[in-house]
């Protein structure tokens, strides 16, 4: 039987466009796309046809007749206010990471989701990568024993020399969130897989950052903070400990995860093979299994062909399918508002910990009113708001690092402008 169509609007046309095929493959009807940048409006019509409505403002998008759901792929730190507006109108929300840019927004988002009949889900795709699903299956099977320790790394170095076009489009100004992104903030790709695999929830966090300040170069597109990686420790609900990175930039590009139980451990290999290594203590190896083996998990899914074509190791397809299945079945997704805001709290409080040299912070439980009250007015943020609100927290331990000074920001903006002009003339 054909699944019911869900009328969905997209807010943010770059990342949003990566979801078009996955949404449509799951019988989503993309009725509108909103981006203030005309380039993405044109791209949307080229990909979706002239019938799709194009808007420049969220105010127009949310008024689209019959809109049932929305994908938030606007700026990283500005998802919560739009999610809240949609939830208040009973519109289902699929939000890119992170769910909230400030602690106060986390509280407001949880309150709005509890009041709404609509579904809230974080579009976190890394847990659905094949090796993570296999680690989920193994851990939940029980042979590894109780969780003791797990590691998650999202390591995404970018060379500014390879492709300046890509680099400038990722970070078009010194006020863009990527320019100032503290290393702890993009934590979901490292942390969500561990929470999904093990069911453990972070309760306390502490962080330190690995520094790599580089000399000032007045002719280069230097941006960002001098920290290269956040090393974040969380103490969890079940007594275990996670060690995760935010978005790190060291060594070679990879995501890796390792789950250590009392009796054995499982991890994906850091060689892009999607292979996993499963090993047990010799005296605790399950009957009939080798003590240690490396293998590539097999994808066994009715939508195999579509998953193999989807971005992020198939993760984008699973996100779209899960979101629509939850809407159609009236089911709460695993990556709900509590799961999402707990991760955002780790990101935000780990940054404060890092600024203070490692002070531990308790992760609030936003199911509890006393924890909400504690944070409901905490609006501190290292980012610029689109409305021109300046950052209220330093992005780095080295607040006077050359890219973060007024002069360094102006230099970056001038280089981007000159680059864009040269591209137009070419
Ligand atoms: N899960 C993943 O694998 C993955 C991959 C890439 C990006 N993302 C996430 O997607 C989101 C978007 O990232 P991006 O890479 O597309 O870059 P981006 O943040 O630069 O793009 C945001 C887009 O939204 C538009 N926008 C923002 N505010 C708007 C407003 N008020 N009105 C109209 N348009 C507005 C901008 O013009 C821009 O085109 C971020 O949260 C990012 O973390 C996730």
């Amino acid at each position: 039987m054909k699944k019911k169509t869900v009328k969905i609007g997209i807010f943010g046309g770059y990342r949003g466009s990566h979801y078009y095929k996955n949404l449509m493959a799951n019988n989503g009807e993309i009725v509108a796309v909103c981006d203030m940048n005309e380039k993405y409006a044109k791209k949307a019509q080229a990909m979706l046809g002239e019938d799709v409505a194009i808007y420049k403002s969220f105010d127009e998008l949310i008024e689209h007749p019959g809109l049932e759901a929305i994908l938030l792929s606007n700026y990283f730190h500005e998802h919560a206010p739009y999610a809240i507006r949609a939830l208040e109108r009973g519109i289902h929300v699929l939000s890119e990471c992170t769910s909230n840019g400030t602690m106060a927004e986390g509280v407001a988002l949880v309150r709005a989701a509890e009041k709404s009949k609509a579904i809230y889900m974080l579009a976190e795709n890394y847990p659905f990568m094949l090796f993570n699903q296999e680690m989920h299956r193994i851990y939940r099977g029980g042979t590894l024993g109780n969780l003791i320790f797990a590691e998650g790394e999202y390591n995404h170095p970018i060379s500014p020399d390879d492709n300046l076009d890509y680099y400038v489009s990722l970070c078009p100004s010194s006020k863009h969130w990527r320019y100032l992104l503290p290393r702890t903030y993009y934590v979901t790709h490292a942390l969500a897989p561990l929470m999904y695999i093990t069911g453990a929830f972070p309760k306390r966090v502490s962080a330190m950052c690995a520094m790599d300040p580089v000399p000032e170069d007045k002719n280069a597109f230097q941006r960002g903070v001098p920290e290269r990686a956040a090393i974040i420790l969380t103490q969890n609900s079940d007594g275990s400990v996670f060690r995760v990175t935010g978005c790190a930039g060291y060594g070679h590009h990879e995501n890796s995860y390792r789950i250590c139980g009392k009796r054995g451990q499982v991890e994906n290999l850091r060689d892009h093979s999607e292979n996993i290594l499963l090993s047990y203590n010799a005296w605790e190896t399950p009957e009939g299994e080798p003590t240690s083996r490396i293998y590539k998990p097999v994808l066994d899914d009715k939508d195999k062909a579509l998953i193999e074509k989807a971005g992020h190791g198939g993760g984008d397809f699973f996100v779209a399918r899960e979101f629509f299945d939850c809407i159609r079945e009236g089911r709460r997704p695993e990556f709900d508002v509590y799961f999402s805001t707990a991760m955002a709290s780790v990101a935000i409080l780990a940054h404060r910990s890092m600024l203070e040299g490692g002070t531990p912070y308790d992760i609030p439980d936003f199911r509890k009113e006393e924890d909400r009250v504690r944070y409901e007015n905490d609006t501190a943020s290292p980012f610029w708001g689109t409305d021109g609100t300046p950052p209220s927290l330093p992005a780095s331990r080295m607040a006077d690092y050359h890219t973060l000074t007024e002069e360094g920001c102006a230099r970056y903006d001038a280089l981007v402008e000159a680059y864009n002009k040269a591209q137009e003339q070419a």
Side-chain angles (χ1 to χ4, degrees):
M1 197 175 65
K2 202 164 182 216
K3 287 178 173 178
K4 182 188 169 295
T5 302
V6 176
K7 288 187 170 39
I8 186 164
I10 314 285
F11 184 47
Y14 172 65
R15 171 65 181 148
S17 66
H18 297 179
Y19 265 107
Y20 296 162
K21 280 187 185 153
N22 296 308
L23 295 170
M24 291 187 296
N26 286 289
N27 220 22
E29 185 184 344
I30 301 173
V31 291
V33 173
C34 172
D35 201 301
M36 57 191 170
N37 184 336
E38 250 171 44
K39 180 166 96 177
Y40 295 120
K42 284 190 187 134
K43 186 173 175 184
Q45 284 186 320
M47 288 175 76
L48 300 168
E50 295 290 319
D51 287 348
V52 68
I54 300 293
Y55 300 115
K56 280 197 170 163
S57 84
F58 186 82
D59 292 353
E60 298 170 286
L61 173 66
I62 200 153
E63 293 295 342
H64 186 90
L67 192 69
E68 293 170 283
I70 200 156
L71 167 64
L72 297 177
S73 43
N74 58 313
Y75 296 131
F76 171 78
H77 60 302
E78 294 193 332
H79 299 139
Y82 299 104
I84 292 168
R85 286 179 60 190
L87 290 168
E88 283 170 353
R89 298 174 71 132
I91 293 172
H92 306 293
V93 174
L94 179 61
S95 171
E96 265 300 351
C97 53
T98 188
S99 56
N100 49 292
T102 69
M103 296 300 287
E105 282 178 1
V107 174
L109 182 61
V110 168
R111 286 180 172 151
E114 285 178 355
K115 271 196 213 140
S116 178
K117 287 201 169 73
I119 280 165
Y120 176 91
M121 178 174 150
L122 194 74
E124 176 44 55
N125 41 2
Y126 283 53
F128 296 118
M129 288 173 170
L130 187 55
F131 48 78
N132 281 331
Q133 295 205 47
E134 177 68 358
M135 288 196 252
H136 178 273
R137 189 187 70 75
I138 290 167
Y139 180 76
R140 301 292 170 132
T143 54
L144 300 181
N146 288 349
L147 179 69
I148 307 292
F149 173 66
E151 297 178 306
E153 290 188 18
Y154 170 55
N155 191 23
H156 196 327
I158 296 173
S159 160
D161 307 321
D162 283 351
N163 183 345
L164 276 181
D165 200 28
Y166 176 61
Y167 190 75
V168 170
S169 72
L170 276 182
C171 183
S173 96
S174 65
K175 290 199 167 70
H176 190 270
W177 61 269
R178 280 197 175 95
Y179 193 90
L180 289 172
L181 184 70
R183 285 292 179 184
T184 66
Y185 267 69
Y186 215 120
V187 80
T188 61
H189 294 343
L191 178 57
L194 304 187
M195 291 168 66
Y196 165 73
I197 292 167
T198 66
F201 242 71
K203 289 287 172 197
R204 197 162 164 80
V205 67
S206 163
M208 290 197 188
C209 279
M211 308 294 290
D212 180 35
V214 294
E216 192 167 343
D217 177 345
K218 298 200 165 149
N219 300 313
F221 282 88
Q222 286 179 311
R223 67 162 173 117
V225 295
E227 287 85 1
R228 293 293 281 190
I231 308 302
I232 303 170
L233 293 179
T234 69
Q235 177 85 65
N236 304 320
S237 49
D238 59 359
S240 66
V241 168
F242 290 160
R243 184 188 66 79
V244 292
T245 62
C247 179
Y250 57 77
H252 81 288
H253 194 302
E254 47 111 14
N255 326 303
S256 53
Y257 308 91
R258 176 177 172 222
I259 309 295
C260 304
K262 200 170 165 185
R263 298 202 289 264
Q265 64 177 53
V266 63
E267 63 194 293
N268 67 307
L269 300 190
R270 294 167 195 257
D271 60 359
H272 305 284
S273 64
E274 296 197 328
N275 283 337
I276 69 165
L277 166 62
L278 170 61
S279 17
Y280 298 95
N281 286 315
W283 64 93
E284 286 174 310
T285 306
E287 184 93 21
E289 282 203 32
T291 298
S292 185
R293 68 179 170 122
I294 291 175
Y295 66 99
K296 185 163 180 166
V298 178
L299 175 63
D300 178 16
D301 192 289
K302 64 182 171 50
D303 294 317
K304 189 171 190 287
L306 294 164
I307 292 162
E308 282 174 345
K309 277 192 236 145
H312 298 95
D316 293 353
F317 181 90
F318 283 102
V319 165
R321 186 171 79 182
E322 176 64 5
F323 179 57
F324 287 146
D325 283 354
C326 285
I327 293 173
R328 290 176 184 126
E329 295 161 20
R331 174 164 62 81
R332 178 187 279 276
E334 185 165 352
F335 305 158
D336 66 2
V337 75
Y338 303 109
F339 188 99
S340 314
T341 54
M343 287 196 291
S345 294
V346 169
I348 295 168
L349 298 177
H351 181 56
R352 294 183 192 178
S353 171
M354 183 278 293
L355 290 176
E356 294 160 11
T359 311
Y361 278 80
D362 286 333
I363 301 301
D365 177 352
F366 285 154
R367 283 189 168 86
K368 293 186 183 149
E369 188 55 21
E370 68 258 34
D371 284 18
R372 300 180 191 189
V373 169
R374 190 161 164 225
Y375 281 108
E376 65 189 351
N377 296 314
D378 185 336
T379 57
S381 167
F383 301 108
W384 286 89
T386 310
D387 62 359
T389 316
S392 49
L393 267 185
S396 163
R397 285 200 85 182
M398 284 174 68
D400 58 352
Y401 185 59
H402 57 81
T403 57
L404 305 176
T405 61
E406 243 177 75
E407 196 195 358
C409 293
R411 185 182 315 128
Y412 182 85
D413 291 336
L415 284 167
V416 170
E417 205 185 320
Y419 176 78
N420 285 336
K421 256 194 202 138
Q423 292 300 103
E424 273 167 36
Q425 283 160 9

